[in-house]
Amino acid sequence: QVQLHEPGPALVEPSETLSLTCSVSGHSISSDYYWGWIRQPPGKGLEWIGYVYHSGSTRYNPSLKSRVTISVDTSKNQFSLHLSSVTAADAAVYYCARDRVDYYMDVWGKGTRVTVS
Amino acid sequence: QSVLTQPPSVSGAPGQRVTIFCTGISSNIGAGYDVHWYQQLPGTAPKLLIYGNNNRPSGVPDRFSGSKSGASASLAISGLQAEDEADYYCQSYDTSLTARVFGGGTKLTVL
């Protein structure tokens, strides 16, 4: 049974880079799925950030593209999110998820709360 | 502002049926892309509820059903139960944005 594990709460200073890693268990990250990130600011809705394929190819939300990098480490069965130049607007719960080629996310991690301060 | 439009809230009494609508445009739902629905119980991560407009993942009760017509979609919940109280999000793909897009979410209150 596939499970996704994000780290515990994170605190990032304004203008710094947010880095999160999602560990995948019960499933090879090299299978035919994308591996993505979604975020949810406090009291607000969901925002898709982007995904990475095991080959390293990526796709990002245009609104975040200039600041986002998503990478994959197949040897560790992990993928990572890096968001640069963070501001208070980037404070949110960040979820990692398995993203399917037919455009939806079928398995989600429990989420990591990120505070910018 | 979300790309897909949902009502902020709906409510219903136990046992009743409620419907949540999701409206898109010609670059997403109207372009033929499927609609998917997620349920987010308080304090938890979203969970896939409906995929491909009207398909339920294993374990989702058949009280939940989805449909799509033109540039809109809907999620129907019949036989409302207290445990259904949650936020519900629709999601699709937008070809102009080349991105997965979400609705703003609908809070379901079971009276």
Side-chain angles (χ1 to χ4, degrees):
Chain A
Q1 178 182 349
V2 57
Q3 291 186 323
L4 284 73
H5 309 272
E6 301 109 332
L11 176 63
V12 187
E13 294 186 4
S15 79
E16 296 296 308
T17 295
L18 161 68
S19 295
L20 298 173
T21 295
C22 182
S23 298
V24 180
S25 61
H27 192 86
S28 172
I29 206 168
S30 296
S31 58
D32 197 23
Y33 292 93
Y34 301 119
W35 303 92
W37 292 92
I38 303 96
R39 70 180 183 178
Q40 184 174 35
K44 297 188 177 181
L46 301 168
E47 180 180 30
W48 180 75
I49 299 172
Y51 66 65
V52 64
Y53 193 56
H54 62 79
S55 64
S57 65
T58 55
R59 183 62 60 87
Y60 303 131
N61 188 323
S63 68
L64 298 169
K65 187 175 183 178
S66 63
R67 299 193 292 129
V68 171
T69 302
I70 300 177
S71 58
V72 63
D73 186 336
T74 56
S75 67
K76 295 182 178 179
N77 227 39
Q78 296 176 336
F79 62 105
S80 299
L81 167 69
H82 302 280
L83 181 65
S84 64
S85 305
V86 300
T87 70
D90 295 310
V93 175
Y94 285 73
Y95 297 100
C96 59
R98 189 173 74 173
D99 192 321
R100 298 177 60 102
V101 295
D102 31 6
Y103 308 114
Y104 65 93
M105 288 66 73
D106 65 345
V107 182
W108 295 62
K110 292 185 177 181
T112 295
R113 182 169 301 279
V114 173
T115 301
V116 178
S117 178
Chain B
Q1 187 164 346
S2 300
V3 175
L4 305 179
T5 301
Q6 297 180 237
S9 63
V10 297
S11 63
Q16 285 188 334
R17 173 186 171 99
V18 296
T19 302
I20 299 171
F21 291 93
C22 174
T23 303
I25 59 175
S26 59
S27 59
N28 43 65
I29 301 175
Y33 290 100
D34 287 344
V35 178
H36 321 287
W37 293 89
Y38 303 87
Q39 178 192 58
Q40 186 175 34
L41 297 170
T44 70
K47 166 194 162 186
L48 181 65
L49 192 66
I50 296 286
Y51 67 94
N53 304 319
N54 56 13
N55 300 289
R56 288 185 307 276
S58 174
V60 173
D62 60 7
R63 301 186 296 105
F64 296 90
S65 62
S67 66
K68 174 192 163 187
S69 177
S72 295
S74 63
L75 171 71
I77 310 171
S78 60
L80 265 183
Q81 300 180 4
E83 66 202 51
D84 299 332
E85 194 160 281
D87 293 324
Y88 293 85
Y89 293 89
C90 62
Q91 180 254 312
S92 186
Y93 178 80
D94 191 287
T95 188
S96 293
L97 298 173
T98 60
R100 281 93 167 110
V101 291
F102 287 95
T106 298
K107 182 176 182 60
L108 169 62
T109 300
V110 181
L111 302 172

